[in-house]
Amino acid sequence: MTFDPQSDDEAQWSFDAEKALEPSVCRAIEWFTLLSDGTASKEIIAAHCHWLTEAPENAQAYEKVQKLWVGATQIHAMQQRRKKHRISRRDFGKLTLLAVAGLGSYGLLRSAAPDFETANGENRLIVLKDGSQIRMSGGTALSVKFSSAQRDIILHSGEAYFSVARGNIPFSVYAASGRVTALGTKFNIALSGDQAEVLVTEHAVQVDYATQSQVLRAGEKLTYEQDEISVRQKADAQVELSWLEGRLVFIDKPLGDVVHVLNRWSSTRLRVIDRQLAQRPVTLIVNIQDIDNILPQLKQSLLLETRHIPFWGTLLYSA
């Protein structure tokens, strides 16, 4: 039995917006909508893998759609209305219109190159002109905007540890629509999609996000996303900042979160589609130098199967 997301009678698309997209992008939108709620059967996952490997442009199109729509509220609404893994014509039209705008501006959004960028697996120290230091983890990008009145950093992606030099000019980091202002301090910011986690190791920072503001002190952490700042929690810096010492430590972390971090350090991109699998707790210690050998360890400890898909990555799924 084969599965084709376009076999539905509703899939006779007539939207003008669809004509503006390449066929591979249209199909990628269908697949993403179908798979994004994490309930796809093994048959559907196998069909998706087959489509990804049919042509390089398929995997590339799916990658772009993922970057644009992960976490979008439009996707959530479609998931609630979708029945029997079918996409309504109306919903596909909405997503296609968004894709025309999103893919059309994608190059513009990325055209302003960051001032500093690390490759996967790279650990880089930057010393700014005021003496402040930034340690960038793998897969991190940031920009520096200094003037006589402000010291601003824009963290575009990844994770970075900041050691701020004393001075009368405010030092702020903008990340995931929030602002973290140093109050004479050392702190870490890690991005995961639209979520930011802030952890302070020395003195304090002020976190401003949406309409909320909190002061976070040494030994504390919080996250912010979706217009909410979490409650402050005690932080175990030795565990959560272990990457500064050349290793990664995960204690009862969801597999999806673990994979997100591993992908910043590994040359092999891992993917988890199954939502239940992504929530499975993982306890793991990884030497960053040996991170490309992590797959056998994950397969054995979690009873996983893997499938490598050229141009897209390695899919993890339950055995």
Side-chain angles (χ1 to χ4, degrees):
M1 179 178 178
T2 60
F3 178 83
D4 185 345
Q6 288 188 324
S7 62
D8 195 315
D9 291 339
E10 291 181 320
Q12 303 301 314
W13 319 117
S14 60
F15 295 93
D16 291 337
E18 182 192 357
K19 298 176 183 178
L21 297 175
E22 294 293 330
S24 60
V25 175
C26 291
R27 181 63 71 91
I29 292 170
E30 296 175 47
W31 277 117
F32 181 76
T33 308
L34 184 68
L35 296 170
S36 60
D37 66 356
T39 61
S41 66
K42 290 185 178 180
E43 181 186 26
I44 293 174
I45 292 174
H48 177 237
C49 291
H50 176 73
W51 175 77
L52 287 170
T53 57
E54 281 184 329
E57 58 266 26
N58 291 350
Q60 293 165 1
Y62 194 78
E63 175 79 9
K64 288 183 179 180
V65 171
Q66 277 190 310
K67 288 180 179 179
L68 283 168
W69 309 126
V70 168
T73 56
Q74 292 90 345
I75 293 293
H76 177 71
M78 281 186 278
Q79 291 169 354
Q80 299 304 312
R81 292 194 298 270
R82 182 166 47 80
K83 296 181 180 180
K84 297 182 180 179
H85 300 296
R86 294 185 176 184
I87 310 163
S88 74
R89 177 175 176 173
R90 178 183 178 185
D91 288 335
F92 183 85
K94 287 183 178 180
L95 187 54
T96 303
L97 286 168
L98 288 168
V100 171
L103 290 173
S105 63
Y106 184 77
L108 295 177
L109 291 173
R110 297 295 296 172
S111 61
D115 295 324
F116 301 96
E117 194 166 10
T118 55
N120 284 11
E122 184 180 359
N123 186 329
R124 182 179 180 186
L125 177 65
I126 299 170
V127 180
L128 304 179
K129 62 182 181 181
D130 69 335
S132 297
Q133 297 183 4
I134 305 175
R135 175 71 69 176
M136 300 172 64
S137 79
T140 297
L142 59 82
S143 299
V144 179
K145 308 294 181 183
F146 275 23
S147 70
S148 59
Q150 60 190 25
R151 296 180 291 172
D152 290 344
I153 307 295
I154 302 171
L155 183 60
H156 302 289
S157 61
E159 181 172 7
Y161 182 74
F162 301 86
S163 300
V164 181
R166 293 183 179 275
N168 295 324
I169 301 175
F171 186 104
S172 298
V173 180
Y174 293 83
S177 301
R179 181 181 66 191
V180 179
T181 302
L183 304 176
T185 188
K186 295 181 179 180
F187 61 98
N188 190 79
I189 301 179
L191 296 181
S192 178
D194 293 330
Q195 181 191 81
E197 181 182 82
V198 185
L199 186 156
V200 180
T201 60
E202 187 177 296
H203 296 114
V205 300
Q206 179 173 313
V207 179
D208 296 294
Y209 178 66
T211 60
Q212 304 168 64
S213 180
Q214 279 200 41
V215 173
L216 195 64
R217 304 190 184 282
E220 296 179 334
K221 68 176 182 178
L222 60 72
T223 60
Y224 61 81
E225 64 176 331
Q226 297 180 352
D227 295 331
E228 294 289 340
I229 297 180
S230 73
V231 176
R232 290 174 294 177
Q233 298 177 333
K234 288 186 177 181
D236 187 342
Q238 286 190 330
V239 171
E240 301 195 49
L241 302 183
S242 57
W243 65 272
L244 295 170
E245 305 297 330
R247 65 184 186 279
L248 302 174
V249 179
F250 306 100
I251 299 177
D252 287 333
K253 290 286 187 180
L255 177 61
D257 293 349
V258 171
V259 164
H260 176 78
V261 175
L262 292 177
N263 282 339
R264 290 208 302 266
W265 296 98
S266 175
S267 60
T268 301
R269 186 164 186 82
L270 305 178
R271 308 275 189 172
V272 182
I273 292 178
D274 187 329
R275 178 173 292 180
Q276 291 184 341
L277 179 60
Q279 293 301 317
R280 189 180 299 180
V282 175
T283 296
L284 191 66
I285 299 177
V286 184
N287 186 326
I288 290 175
Q289 297 296 324
D290 299 327
I291 199 165
D292 285 332
N293 299 318
I294 192 63
L295 272 180
Q297 191 174 351
L298 285 176
K299 290 176 66 175
Q300 182 177 6
S301 60
L302 296 177
L303 300 179
L304 299 177
E305 295 291 341
T306 63
R307 179 170 180 176
H308 179 68
I309 302 170
F311 308 104
W312 190 67
T314 298
L315 177 66
L316 307 181
Y317 58 96
S318 299

